[in-house]
């Protein structure tokens, strides 16, 4: 099958990639761009290990065609921190023991960053619901709640991050 | 799991999409429409009924828009779940959308895709290797059903959450194809056979869901059965809608999902409620009638007997929500 | 050294510490096997059997070989592919690829390596295997009868029996005769599997000098090292095993696996590196999960609540291979010896082969199923005799420094504290038998080994007539930068063992964790450690690390003495200094001590090791279940049962676990919480389903791991009994905390709706059927004697 040329914007950088038309976002970020922080857990949309942000919304990399995110801003775990500065969610997950084996962690972090950018002060129920599409086999999710709370509190007292992502896009589902 | 190869088309208008279809039809080439991809691409990874062409509907402006009268087929489930307009006018629809699968699925999945979701079966939703080892089934590569040996029609289960609610709302779908467009009431849309599934022609695109004004008069409730409260498809689902005069039922609708190959209205059962008071014992009576008529197969997580029985519980709970009463303990569980 | 176990003045130990590799996990920068990028890497795919039991007549690989981009094809006839291996030296019955017969649907028959996944998949699908079907044996009961073709040639009497264990201590029947009550029943366990999030992945590569490098998601690199040497017929020193970050194991990555051998065979044939990365279905087909089991049990009790005897019989479905199954067969019996005094004991266990994916070790290995049966029957006896479930368990609790009837040495135990604290925290006395119909609360206790005292290879056996090589060795290297490098082969699979090693080294040396770097990923660098299974790492590798640090400290003390003229033994290490205890004003910085110690010798090297004491009796099977120490648990679960649907919602679990000393409390809590989550899956939702021997739900949609919204509030309660031999008093915390939650939920369901379930998963269907049988509203009554 001939390859198609895609122009993708990933983590703020432009990439031109030649891929099979059926390549998923997960295939491209891992195998073409070698951004291996995004994990392949079930590859069928069930575990959430492959979660990335597309225009600020959490999306399953394994069930999204790369061709469908042309013109969108794709962000992977590699872009969550700014230089040496960890995102509050990253430090909180590390400090609270919310990451054990770490394999599901990038997916959870992307899901949570999408949550907190829309809902800076989520209720415990909102947090629980928001992460219910990501599976973790190590933690029983318990330490994650503490970590998300801690990160949310820190983010509320700090200047807003992710400036290049406009709030308009984040709330309007610009993924289409 | 690598996706099999296909040619991807990304039309930017409905007319362009229909033109593509015309071409495929003329050349006799196979094709599928891709919307959210959470159903189709998962099946493709299993090499289930892969087509040569895939036409993405994600870039068609005609498939967008949410109002009380119409929801574009390309609208994402999270948007429907969070839409102020839907919340206020059709809270049960918002709920049903919010209960689909998981939050991550709802970020991609659309209402059109949910209505057209492929039927599911333990013997079918398996990898290619698995199906080979199992000598496959009627709906895939073989010509025999593995659920009901000897059966020549497919009994795979339709597991969409929105269809029963929309059925109870009297919604219809707009189908646009090379020969023009038509509106089909949802009540005449589904076919209770796992392969045919619905009356939509392969060349037609479901462009929008149309909601009649009378839907606003109906009080609707939806209940579903699943083991995990996220991710899982329903193993049974019931929507109940009523037009009430006081507590008297002027008109009512009952629709089921995940117990057959289609989401279906149950007019025979609903008929018994006309003119009666919404409460127990009517709920118990309807539940018993519904359970008696249901015939789920052994092809999903819970056993068919259990799913059948749960239909009654779900109906009573949906009726209780609409009527604002406490459901009495069911006969069956009281032993 | 003073015995620092008794002090609480630690600087590192006992304090919450982020995992030393946490930053790699939260940034996505940590490399798991599938993340390695190697030039020329080929994709390997395995051709799996489509038959449960069949002779291989012919494997036609010609079409695959002819495909462009295919670089290697191997079958069972390749050199090495038929070499028998297995994790236990006494039961090697696996081969890399099926040689002449396939034994389950999913068995590995052939494999290809190709330039890309698309080609590899197409090539694998093009391989045609001609089979001659044989009668499959799928029912473990039938496996005990003579077979037309037994699964393994060594099976006695032509049956599919793999291992039989019969043990008796005291006189169970006489004890039952004299008991106030005897209760028993049959308990049944569906197969469950680890469901770690990272699928198995392996990369094999021959370096230009012919040395084999294998990168694999492994819990026990050393066992893979041994097995790989046998299969590839290469000396161990010509093989290097690299264990990168591992996305969870839970026992499911502790065997040497066929796919690892296959990758090496393909790499040899292709002359290129080969990666085999599993799809989720492959993971289920590889399985090695908890054994489906039928467990018959009887327990006798005196009127005062004393347990008089326990009689158990297990029929254990092993699937196609041995794996850890001999151990499983013993553990199902011997681990029932705790956490209670059991004066009379009888056990008969049978593990059989069946034509299904192999069962193996899974978190809580061998103890979990028995616990459900025992703790359920104890509650039944309490009810019959009008006794309180907490009081009875407390009465029977094994005492510290005691011996069980099968001669397990019990040292530290915090069971009584676990019971007291869960009773209080859960507000048990206000709730038990007192909540409205549909709501219930239940108790379950547990007991687990802190590593197996007796290793599975004689090389490590402590008896002088065997190897006497310690089970754990740790090297510490301190160089001019005054950083401390810890070398060990203990495998961090997410449980935090690297962090534990760093703590055990940092504490004696008086340095912060930031000075310590832990290198555990490479057999070239690390001294042998038997890896991460049987909950051994904290106790064994932790002790070895501590010993290595103490040995290094001695050198620094001598250096400090040289610099100050004070006696070496007067120096303690604290706050990055060596301080004279007799005159704290005299201190040498850690850096200065290191430089002085390096004078004339170069980098400091120190070794520490751990060898379990010789324990146990001299009867057959006496070694099984011996451990230098045991953990103890008491859990309470609170549930809501929907009486109309039978659905259970667990609202809270109070989980008290005695871990000796919590070296890193936040990590201990994490282990408890994760164990509870996994145990709840076995209790309520998880079940590998089969259709004629074929796994029906080999994916995470149909195999139901609980999501966040299904998981209850988990209140972990860390109990510290301070073990006399554990590192700083620590013992295991990774496995024992799984088992108690299952009976706790079962007992809570009984409290809620009067339904006593004896099989897991306890599905809504079963509960509803139970409610129908006992009648709605049948809430059990509080026994008169238990009222408080």
């Amino acid at each position: 099958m001939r390859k198609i040329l895609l122009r993708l914007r990933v983590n703020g950088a432009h990439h031109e990639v030649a891929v099979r038309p059926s390549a998923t976002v997960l295939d491209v970020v891992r195998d073409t761009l070698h951004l291996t922080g995004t994990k392949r857990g079930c590859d069928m949309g069930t575990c959430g290990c492959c979660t990335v942000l597309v225009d600020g919304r959490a999306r399953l990399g394994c069930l999204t065609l790369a061709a469908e995110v042309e013109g969108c801003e794709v962000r992977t775990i590699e872009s969550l921190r700014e230089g040496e500065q960890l995102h509050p969610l990253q430090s909180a997950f590390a400090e609270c023991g919310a990451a054990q084996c770490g394999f599901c962690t990038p997916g959870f972090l992307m899901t949570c960053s999408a949550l907190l950018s829309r809902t800076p002060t989520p209720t415990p129920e909102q947090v629980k619901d928001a992460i219910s599409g990501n599976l973790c086999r190590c933690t029983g999710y318990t330490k994650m709640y503490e970590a998300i709370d801690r990160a949310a509190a820190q983010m509320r007292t700090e200047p807003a991050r992710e400036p290049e992502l406009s709030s308009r896009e984040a709330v309007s589902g610009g993924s289409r | 799991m690598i996706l099999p190869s296909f040619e991807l088309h990304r039309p930017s208008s409905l007319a362009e999409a229909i033109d593509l279809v015309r071409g495929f039809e003329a050349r006799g080439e196979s094709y599928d429409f891709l919307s959210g991809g959470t159903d189709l691409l998962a099946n493709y990874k299993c090499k289930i009924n892969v087509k040569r062409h895939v036409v993405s509907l994600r870039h068609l402006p005609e498939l967008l828009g949410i109002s009380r009268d119409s929801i574009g087929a390309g609208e994402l489930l999270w948007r429907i779940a969070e839409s102020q307009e839907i919340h206020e006018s059709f809270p049960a629809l918002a709920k049903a959308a919010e209960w689909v699968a998981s939050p991550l699925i709802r970020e991609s999945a659309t209402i059109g895709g949910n209505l057209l979701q492929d039927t599911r079966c333990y013997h079918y939703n398996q990898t290619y290797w698995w199906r080979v080892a199992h000598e496959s089934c009627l709906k895939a590569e073989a010509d025999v059903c593995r659920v009901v040996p000897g059966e020549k029609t497919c009994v795979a289960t339709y597991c969409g959450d929105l269809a029963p609610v929309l059925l109870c709302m009297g919604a219809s779908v707009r189908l646009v194809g090379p020969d023009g467009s038509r509106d089909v009431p949802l009540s005449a849309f589904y076919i209770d056979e796992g392969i045919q599934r619905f009356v939509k022609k392969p060349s037609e695109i479901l462009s929008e869901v149309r909601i009649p004004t009378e839907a606003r008069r109906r009080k609707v409730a939806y209940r579903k059965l699943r083991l995990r409260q996220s991710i899982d498809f329903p193993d049974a689902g019931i929507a109940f809608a009523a037009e009430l005069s006081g507590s008297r039922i002027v008109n009512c609708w009952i629709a089921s999902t995940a117990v057959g190959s289609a989401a279906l209205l149950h007019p025979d059962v609903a008929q018994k409620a006309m003119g009666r008071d919404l409460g127990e014992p009517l709920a118990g009576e309807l539940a018993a009638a519904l359970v008696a008529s249901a015939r789920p197969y052994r092809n999903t997580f819970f056993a068919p007997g259990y799913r059948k029985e749960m239909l009654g519980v779900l109906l009573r709970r949906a009726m209780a929500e609409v009527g604002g009463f406490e459901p009495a303990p069911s006969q069956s569980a009281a032993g | 050294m003073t015995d620092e176990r008794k002090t609480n003045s630690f600087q590192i130990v006992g304090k919450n510490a982020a995992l030393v590799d946490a930053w790699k996990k939260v940034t996505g920068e940590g490399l798991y096997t599938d993340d390695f990028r190697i030039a020329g890497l080929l994709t390997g795919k395995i051709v799996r059997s489509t038959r449960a039991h069949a002779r291989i007549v012919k494997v036609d690989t010609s079409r695959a070989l002819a495909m462009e981009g295919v670089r290697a094809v191997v079958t069972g006839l390749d050199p090495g592919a038929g070499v028998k291996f297995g994790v236990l030296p006494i039961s090697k019955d696996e081969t890399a690829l099926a040689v002449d017969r396939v034994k389950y649907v999913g068995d590995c028959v052939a494999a290809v390596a190709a330039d890309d996944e698309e080609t590899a998949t197409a090539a694998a699908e093009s391989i045609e295997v001609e089979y001659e079907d044989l009668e499959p044996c799928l029912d473990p009961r039938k496996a005990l009868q003579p077979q037309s073709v037994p699964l393994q040639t060594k099976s006695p009497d032509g049956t599919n029996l793999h291992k039989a264990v019969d043990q008796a201590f005291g006189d169970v029947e006489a004890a039952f005769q004299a008991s106030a009550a005897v209760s028993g029943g049959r308990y049944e366990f569906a197969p469950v599997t680890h469901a770690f999030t990272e699928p198995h992945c392996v990369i094999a590569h021959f370096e230009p000098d012919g040395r084999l490098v294998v990168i694999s998601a492994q819990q026990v690199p050393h066992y893979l090292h041994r097995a790989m040497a046998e299969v590839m017929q290469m000396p161990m020193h010509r093989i290097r095993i690299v264990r990168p970050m591992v996305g969870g194991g839970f026992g499911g990555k502790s065997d040497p696996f066929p796919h690892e051998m296959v990758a090496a065979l393909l790499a040899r044939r292709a002359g290129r590196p080969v990666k085999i990365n599993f799809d989720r279905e492959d993971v289920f087909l590889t399985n090695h999960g908890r054994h489906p089991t039928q467990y018959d049990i009887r327990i006798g009790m005196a009127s005062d609540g004393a347990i008089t005897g326990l009689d158990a019989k297990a029929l254990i479905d092993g699937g196609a291979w041995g794996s850890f199954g001999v151990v499983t067969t013993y553990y199902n019996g011997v681990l029932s010896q705790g956490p209670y005094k059991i004066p009379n004991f009888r056990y008969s266990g049978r593990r059989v082969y069946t034509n299904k994916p192999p069962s193996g070790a899974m978190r809580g290995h061998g103890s979990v199923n028995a616990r459900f049966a025992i703790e359920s029957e104890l509650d039944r006896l309490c009810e019959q005799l009008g006794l309180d479930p907490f009081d009875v368990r407390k009465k029977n609790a094994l005492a510290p420094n005691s011996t069980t009837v099968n001669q397990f040495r019990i040292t530290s135990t915090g069971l009584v504290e676990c019971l007291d604290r869960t009773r209080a925290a859960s507000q048990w006395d206000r709730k038990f038998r007192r909540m409205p119909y549909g709501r219930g609360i239940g108790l379950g206790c547990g007991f687990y080994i802190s590593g197996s005292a007796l290793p599975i290879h004689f090389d490590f056996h402590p008896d002088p007539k065997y190897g006497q090589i310690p089970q754990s060795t740790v090297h510490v290297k301190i160089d001019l930068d005054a950083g401390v490098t810890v070398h060990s082969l203990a495998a961090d699979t997410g449980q935090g063992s690297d962090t534990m090693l760093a703590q055990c080294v940092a504490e004696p040396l008086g340095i912060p964790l930031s000075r310590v770097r832990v290198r555990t990923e490479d057999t070239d660098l690390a001294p042998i450690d038997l890896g991460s299974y049987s909950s051994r790492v904290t106790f064994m590798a932790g002790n070895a690390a501590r010993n290595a640090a103490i040995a290094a400290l001695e050198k620094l003390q001598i250096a400090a003495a040289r610099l100050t003229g004070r006696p070496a033994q007067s120096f303690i290490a604290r706050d990055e200094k060596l301080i004279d205890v007799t005159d704290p004003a005299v201190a040498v910085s850690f850096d200065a001590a290191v430089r002085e110690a390096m004078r004339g010798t170069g980098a400091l090297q120190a070794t520490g090791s751990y060898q379990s004491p010789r324990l146990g009796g001299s009867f057959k099977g006496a070694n099984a279940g011996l451990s230098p120490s045991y953990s103890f648990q008491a859990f309470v679960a609170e549930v809501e049962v929907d009486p109309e649907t039978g659905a259970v919602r667990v609202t809270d679990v109070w989980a008290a676990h005695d871990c000796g000393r919590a070296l890193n409390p936040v990590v201990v809590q994490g282990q408890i919480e994760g164990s509870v989550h996994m145990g709840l899956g076995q209790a309520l939702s998880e079940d590998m389903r089969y259709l004629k021997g074929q796994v029906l739900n080999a994916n995470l949609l149909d195999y139901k791991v609980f999501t966040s919204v299904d998981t209850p509030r988990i209140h972990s309660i860390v109990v510290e009994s301070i073990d006399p031999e554990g590192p700083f008093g620590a013992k295991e915390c990774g496995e024992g905390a799984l088992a108690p939650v299952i009976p706790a939920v079962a007992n809570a369901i009984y409290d809620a709706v009067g339904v006593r379930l004896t099989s897991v998963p306890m599905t809504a269907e079963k509960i509803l059927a139970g409610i129908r049988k006992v009648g709605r509203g049948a809430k059990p009554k509080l026994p008169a004697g238990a009222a408080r």
Side-chain angles (χ1 to χ4, degrees), chain C residues 681-734:
Chain C
Q682 185 176 0
L684 295 171
S685 64
E686 295 177 29
D687 172 5
M688 273 175 77
R689 297 180 171 189
Y690 285 94
L691 191 73
K692 295 184 226 156
Q694 187 168 358
V695 186
L696 195 55
N697 53 346
N699 58 70
L700 292 175
L701 178 59
D702 297 313
Y703 183 86
K704 313 277 186 189
V705 172
F706 272 175
T707 73
S708 55
V709 288
D710 308 300
T711 304
R713 288 180 292 264
I714 303 168
H715 316 268
S716 47
I717 299 167
V718 177
V719 170
E720 298 183 289
S721 61
I722 313 300
D723 189 81
E725 295 176 16
F728 309 97
K731 47 192 187 183
E732 81 88 29
C733 68

Side-chain angles (χ1 to χ4, degrees), chain A residues 39 81 100-101 128 137, chain C residues 25 29 32 35 194 708:
Chain A
K39 302 302 182 198
R81 67 169 164 170
Q100 285 189 25
C101 83
K128 218 172 192 190
R137 191 56 158 174
Chain C
K25 293 167 180 170
E29 286 180 23
Y32 299 78
D35 300 335
H194 321 85
S708 55

Side-chain angles (χ1 to χ4, degrees), chain B residues 113 206 291:
Chain B
L206 195 164
V291 168

